[in-house]
Amino acid sequence: NRIRKRGKEVPPMVEVVLDDYRIKSIDMRNDIADDGILSMTNTFEFKVSYSREDSRAVAELTEHVSDKETGDRFYISLTIEGIFSVSGVNGLESKKEAHVRCYDQIFPYAGQIISQLASNSGISGLILKKIPMKESSINFSNGAQEKHEGKMIRFPQ
């Protein structure tokens, strides 16, 4: 499915559509007793699993926001999962592009949820800072995770 453009082959464009999302987990604490300005920090983790034919993707975004001074007086840790329809993924570079697009589409939902949680707990005006993701910084695992899928682990009774 390559397209010719002025004599050059152009790979099909990567398309990513968010079909659905759900909150997987929330951990939160607000022990702020006094009024004032808080200095916040945030970090994130993001991973995407693709179907064998690269037509579906499941992305998991974990955002952690905390009080920069102590980290334990106020924090919100949210994990959200997005289900995506994907097309045009046919190699490593296009998979990296899809990865970034999944992040770009799921992030606003995480930001909205965190802002609402903070506001409902008495911390107004918290807006989650989006940390830019670059395709050049994306590394895929060697597939070790896929080797363990489908295996049953039995725990002693």
Side-chain angles (χ1 to χ4, degrees), residues 25-58:
S25 67
I26 298 173
D27 187 19
M28 179 178 170
R29 178 182 206 106
N30 184 355
D31 286 337
I32 306 293
D34 49 344
D35 290 341
I37 296 175
L38 293 174
S39 181
M40 298 291 199
T41 183
N42 75 295
T43 58
F44 78 98
E45 292 178 35
F46 186 69
K47 59 185 175 183
V48 181
S49 299
Y50 296 90
S51 63
R52 289 186 192 264
E53 65 280 351
D54 291 332
S55 63
R56 303 282 292 162
V58 177

Side-chain angles (χ1 to χ4, degrees), residues 59-122:
E60 186 176 285
L61 173 61
T62 300
E63 290 281 352
H64 184 78
V65 179
S66 62
D67 173 22
K68 194 181 264 188
E69 291 177 26
T70 63
D72 59 354
R73 288 189 315 159
F74 176 85
Y75 63 83
I76 299 173
S77 185
L78 168 74
T79 300
I80 187 171
E81 180 181 77
I83 310 295
F84 296 86
S85 296
V86 180
S87 64
V89 175
N90 56 14
L92 188 60
E93 292 306 311
S94 58
K95 192 173 269 191
K96 286 182 178 185
E97 183 179 344
H99 196 88
V100 172
R101 289 185 183 202
C102 288
Y103 173 71
D104 288 344
Q105 287 186 33
I106 197 73
F107 176 84
Y109 295 95
Q112 179 186 27
I113 293 165
I114 286 176
S115 292
Q116 281 184 313
L117 287 169
S119 180
N120 289 337
S121 74

